Amino acid sequence: MPDPSSPRRISRRGLLGYAGTTGLGAAAGAGLVVAAGGGSPAPANPAGPAAPVPGATVSPWGAHQPGVAQHPPAVTEIVALDLLEGVEREALGRLMRVWTGDVEALTAGRGAPGDPAPWLSAAAADLTITVGVGPGALGADRFGEGPSGFAEVPPMTHDRLEERWSGGDLCVTVAGRDGTTVAHAVRRMVADAEPFARLRWRQVGSWNGTDPDGRPQTGRNLFGQVDGSGNPRPGTELFDDTVWVGGGRWAGATTMVLRRIRMDLDTWDDLTRDEQERSVGRTLADGAPLTGGAELDDLDLTAQAQGRLVVPLDAHARRSHPSLHGGRRIFRKGANYTREVETPRGARVESGLLFASYQADLADQFVPLQRSLDELDQLNEWTTAIGSAVFVVLPGFEAGSWLGESLLT
Amino acid sequence: MPDPSSPRRISRRGLLGYAGTTGLGAAAGAGLVVAAGGGSPAPANPAGPAAPVPGATVSPWGAHQPGVAQHPPAVTEIVALDLLEGVEREALGRLMRVWTGDVEALTAGRGAPGDPAPWLSAAAADLTITVGVGPGALGADRFGEGPSGFAEVPPMTHDRLEERWSGGDLCVTVAGRDGTTVAHAVRRMVADAEPFARLRWRQVGSWNGTDPDGRPQTGRNLFGQVDGSGNPRPGTELFDDTVWVGGGRWAGATTMVLRRIRMDLDTWDDLTRDEQERSVGRTLADGAPLTGGAELDDLDLTAQAQGRLVVPLDAHARRSHPSLHGGRRIFRKGANYTREVETPRGARVESGLLFASYQADLADQFVPLQRSLDELDQLNEWTTAIGSAVFVVLPGFEAGSWLGESLLT
């Protein structure tokens, strides 16, 4: 059992707090831990929580799994597994206890129990590991009934889903600074699940969530768009209401939709900058609304210029605006992916976004939003969902407990 | 044309110097540039050059392309391209001038000329871009005769080469801190080459070259081995003699062999730690020779214990030891790769190493070493070369000049 008082652990409060003038660099150089109190938003920190401090580790314990609210790290690897036949409640409990031990060790920078290569677990990796369960892991013999509104995303007109990027009974998201450490942690988790589940798919992406001075920034997708400006800010009531299941046996959980969105960079690059900006409703330079202000300011959906709406009716930021959805929101995180594909005419690179949406109630928050975008969204011209999966992210756990304990016992 | 006096540029000397107590973190926090003089080795810095400072950029100018000697960064993406028919000397000159402009802009954190998404070029990415040319780009109509000893690697008994990871007329290696920025730079370079060349393959890997305190470390492959301890140290005469072509029209160039080495982690994990360590001749904990001392100390190939050689006859570190090869050496850099593969029984992850070897004379330095390992090396049991390619890394260029200018004009 790791020592929760370890000086290199960032407290949950510290994780969500503001690193401020301490900054990424100075803290690392001095070997300090960022645990500044208070969760008050700071203008230099649009995306919410502070960027991880190299060499620090993120505590795995608390009311929620910490990877959800964590500022997007450099590397995210997500795997889905399918449960083997006959794996029911008791076996799931065994798996969850094994995984809990793995999560505690790997996020502390130690090798997982029995790891033949513990040196690949590095404290410098700022690792989080987030465990979720899919529809196939629910039901009376497994995790029981899911939280309210949890179900598969209904088919969308623009979907071109491939089985190889879709579905799954279990999901493990490993995120951190270093791709090798992340890959090793994923391998350990998948290997330790071998008696219970088989790998279904694996997806890997990157995100640039820090500016040249090491301060957190929202980050950009491969179209070059600042992506995630409209997110509720971790540490706020709005975030908590949006993301966490508030009560019942799933209290502290959230639901996750993962969509693999292929992006056609070539045709996108053919657009003028004006066309690109109007398709979203934000400037490319800094993500500010086309109606003025700074990145985090709200869009003025009524603003007109030269007799037409500044943010067009089919602009992505209008179609997904909470005011069109009764104030309902999601919390979204992206990871850019590229993948080499063999074709008869040689190699090609497929590019896109691993789009993760977190919300308390999938049917109430995510589905209407997605339907609205499916009906009308300029971005549909250059983006195609080729994978889709839904999971309940298990509630957090405290030291001495384990993932899903209250749900399985 | 970027300003070479830009305060954020690290000088070549600074790049190879010792960051010392300034450290990664403090320098970044204070916005300083690490340009400490002197190239004297420091014990805390086994791999040679200092780790990049976040937010700083690496100057593209000098006698050599800087990516070769650069401390291995987090992400390395390598692409090979095939020249289109009819692309000869003059067209190659046009491509090299375009690429030179791209390299100067992208490594400065600016968008490449004409880049529709310049915001994806970030100064925080510590980018280097290294350009090489393959056998098909040589000859009278193209880059002329290659440097002494430059040729394809002859077939090795243990090779299982796949066309999709082998060969190529041109090579671009982009390395940096952030996968999104790296992928964007690769995309720009490939797009700008479109009138001249077509993508042949693309390979991506990661490396953990910094310890939890942000100091450079040698790093580990996916077997968990410290990998690269025997390297000559950048900034030393031994390094220069090993790597750089010393005179003639290719002065300042080097040759690069890229091998895609699949690693069977499952069977490797089945070995005892003793078996793992004896297969290489080094400890797993810190890469020190099994005959004692620290990571950078030389192996004692004669040492015996209990009547047997401590470093077995077929240990990798013995078979590749310079003393067995007339003192000849290579400079090697690795990047760990993982790739999801579809199989009839579901997804599988292929793991391995993108192994890059740099040497002045490929036939004289690399080939005998590779033959020796092909004949006898315990690691052949768990590793298989599935790709192979050779390139001449062009000499460096100064501001106002361009890549390959003296070779093409």
Side-chain angles (χ1 to χ4, degrees), chain A residues 353-375:
Chain A
L353 184 73
L354 308 182
F355 169 90
S357 169
Y358 298 93
Q359 54 284 308
D361 188 318
L362 198 157
D364 184 59
Q365 294 168 261
F366 180 82
V367 172
L369 173 67
Q370 185 61 44
R371 257 197 229 287
S372 159
L373 293 170
D374 190 47
E375 279 164 23

Side-chain angles (χ1 to χ4, degrees), chain A residues 180 187 202 269 338 340, chain B residues 180 187 202 206 269 338 340:
Chain A
T180 298
R187 182 171 143 72
R202 169 179 177 274
D269 281 353
T338 53
E340 56 276 4
Chain B
T180 298
R187 181 170 144 71
R202 170 180 177 272
S206 70
D269 282 353
T338 52
E340 56 277 4

Side-chain angles (χ1 to χ4, degrees), chain A residues 8 25 55 119 124 164 180 187 200 202 206 212-213 220 265-266 269 284-285 336 338-340 342 347 349, chain B residues 8 25 55 119 124 164 180 187 200 202 206 212-213 220 265-266 269 284-285 336 338-340 342 347 349:
Chain A
R8 282 206 169 276
W119 309 279
R164 66 178 299 191
T180 298
R187 182 171 143 72
R200 182 184 176 91
R202 169 179 177 274
S206 70
D213 295 316
R220 293 178 186 269
L265 301 195
D266 291 335
D269 281 353
L284 280 160
N336 301 315
T338 53
R339 180 180 159 84
E340 56 276 4
E342 273 185 303
V349 177
Chain B
R8 280 206 170 277
W119 309 279
R164 65 177 301 189
T180 298
R187 181 170 144 71
R200 182 182 175 94
R202 170 180 177 272
S206 70
D213 295 315
R220 293 177 187 271
L265 301 195
D266 291 335
D269 282 353
L284 280 159
N336 301 315
T338 52
R339 181 181 159 83
E340 56 277 4
E342 273 184 304
V349 178

